[in-house]
Amino acid sequence: RAGTAIVRTSVPGLRWSKGLKGRKVLEAFFRKEIAAKRQSRDSDLFSVLCHAETEDGEQFSDDDVVNHMIFLMMAAHDTSTITLSTLFYYLAKNPQWQERLREESKALGKASLDYDDLPRLEGIGMAMKEALRLCAPVPSLPRKTVKDVEYNGFFIPRGSFINVVPYFTHYMEEYWPEPEKFDPERFSDARREDKVHPYAWVPFGGGAHKCIGLHFAEMQVKAILHQVLLNYRWSVPQDYEMPVDTTSLPVPGDGLPVKLEKI
């Protein structure tokens, strides 16, 4: 969370300093593995980045590889963790949906998912999309206009910095009936409320800069939630409302205390 520091210089004990110190640990960890990864022909992303070449035969430098791997640690994992936390909260508050998804996972008859099983977990897919609507892991999308544009009567000159805010868009009543309600059926084939406008549902952004990790995220969430559904039932007190800490990315402000019951 160094990016949210008020004082952006390395003052010991403050957030920016802690962020820089943490980054140095990651840099050292990845850098010492690069030589072995460049020698290997493994299929993991670290190895692939070490061997990736442009059409002109140029490879990523060591610094490039380290930077990509550090970004991956945040981009592909913090966001999925937030999505899962939101799902656990709403499935605890809506036990009927928790049981529905549990029955769906039981029907597969296997403890671990294969790739071909993913489309069969339609309920988890809908619940995940609704969790992403209610608590977009990336709450604002910074962009810059590439040309003069007029929007809703406002003139926005070329080169203007703007923010697209999913946290606002996802609660617009003209697109989402009862926007505060957890209702995964919004994303069923019969309703598809996310299709009423090309940019009504934008947790992964849109257009040319749409996140390339959207399918990977779904695989992660389905694989993890499938395991938890088969092994645990969980709940929160009836009057519990999860506070959201939006200091950087939106996370449960109290750690999300849930009661786990082994099945």
Side-chain angles (χ1 to χ4, degrees):
R1 297 189 184 187
T4 59
I6 296 174
V7 180
R8 296 195 173 194
T9 189
S10 188
V11 179
L14 296 186
R15 177 169 281 173
W16 192 261
S17 177
K18 291 178 181 178
L20 292 175
K21 187 180 296 184
R23 183 182 172 87
K24 287 184 184 300
V25 173
L26 291 173
E27 286 176 348
F29 173 78
F30 288 122
R31 203 173 294 281
K32 70 180 176 61
E33 300 292 335
I34 286 180
K37 289 294 183 180
R38 290 204 186 278
Q39 293 296 319
S40 78
R41 287 292 170 182
D42 294 335
S43 60
D44 62 276
L45 183 59
F46 196 170
S47 298
V48 170
L49 287 172
C50 287
H51 293 287
E53 293 185 359
T54 67
E55 293 179 354
D56 299 325
E58 295 181 8
Q59 284 189 309
F60 283 130
S61 68
D62 287 2
D63 286 344
D64 289 334
V65 173
V66 168
N67 287 334
H68 277 296
M69 290 304 297
I70 290 176
F71 178 74
L72 181 71
M73 292 295 289
M74 182 278 290
H77 294 90
D78 269 15
T79 47
S80 296
T81 301
I82 292 167
T83 303
L84 281 163
S85 294
T86 306
L87 261 175
F88 283 126
Y89 168 63
Y90 280 104
L91 292 177
K93 294 280 284 185
N94 297 270
Q96 74 281 9
W97 264 98
Q98 187 182 146
E99 289 304 319
R100 173 174 168 174
L101 300 188
R102 183 170 290 110
E103 291 305 313
E104 180 181 76
S105 283
K106 285 181 178 178
L108 285 180
K110 54 172 66 175
S112 299
L113 298 179
D114 293 314
Y115 181 77
D116 291 339
D117 295 322
L118 295 169
R120 298 171 62 188
L121 297 175
E122 294 180 0
I124 294 180
M126 292 191 298
M128 173 187 168
K129 289 176 180 177
E130 179 70 333
L132 286 165
R133 182 188 72 82
L134 289 162
C135 185
V138 181
S140 64
L141 308 171
R143 295 288 185 264
K144 182 183 284 188
T145 53
V146 296
K147 62 181 181 181
D148 292 349
V149 63
E150 185 175 313
Y151 178 75
N152 276 6
F154 292 94
F155 175 71
I156 307 173
R158 177 179 180 271
S160 296
F161 177 81
I162 63 171
N163 251 328
V164 179
V165 185
Y167 242 108
F168 177 84
T169 304
H170 290 175
Y171 285 84
M172 295 174 71
E173 292 185 354
E174 55 264 50
Y175 301 122
W176 305 100
E178 298 183 272
E180 304 281 345
K181 180 181 178 182
F182 177 74
D183 182 9
E185 288 285 353
R186 299 179 194 276
F187 298 91
S188 65
D189 290 338
R191 290 171 59 182
R192 291 312 301 261
E193 291 177 12
D194 57 313
K195 296 297 185 182
V196 298
H197 188 284
Y199 297 103
W201 187 74
V202 286
F204 297 100
H209 294 283
K210 192 170 186 177
C211 177
I212 62 173
L214 72 167
H215 299 300
F216 177 57
E218 185 173 358
M219 287 191 285
Q220 280 188 308
V221 169
K222 284 184 173 180
I224 293 170
L225 194 59
H226 175 70
Q227 292 283 328
V228 179
L229 286 164
L230 292 179
N231 291 283
Y232 295 96
R233 184 173 285 107
W234 65 95
S235 61
V236 292
Q238 191 167 0
D239 60 348
Y240 172 77
E241 298 289 338
M242 182 181 74
V244 179
D245 178 354
T246 56
T247 303
S248 55
L249 300 181
V251 298
D254 59 356
L256 183 55
V258 299
K259 179 182 179 182
L260 275 176
E261 175 189 350
K262 181 73 175 174
I263 297 177

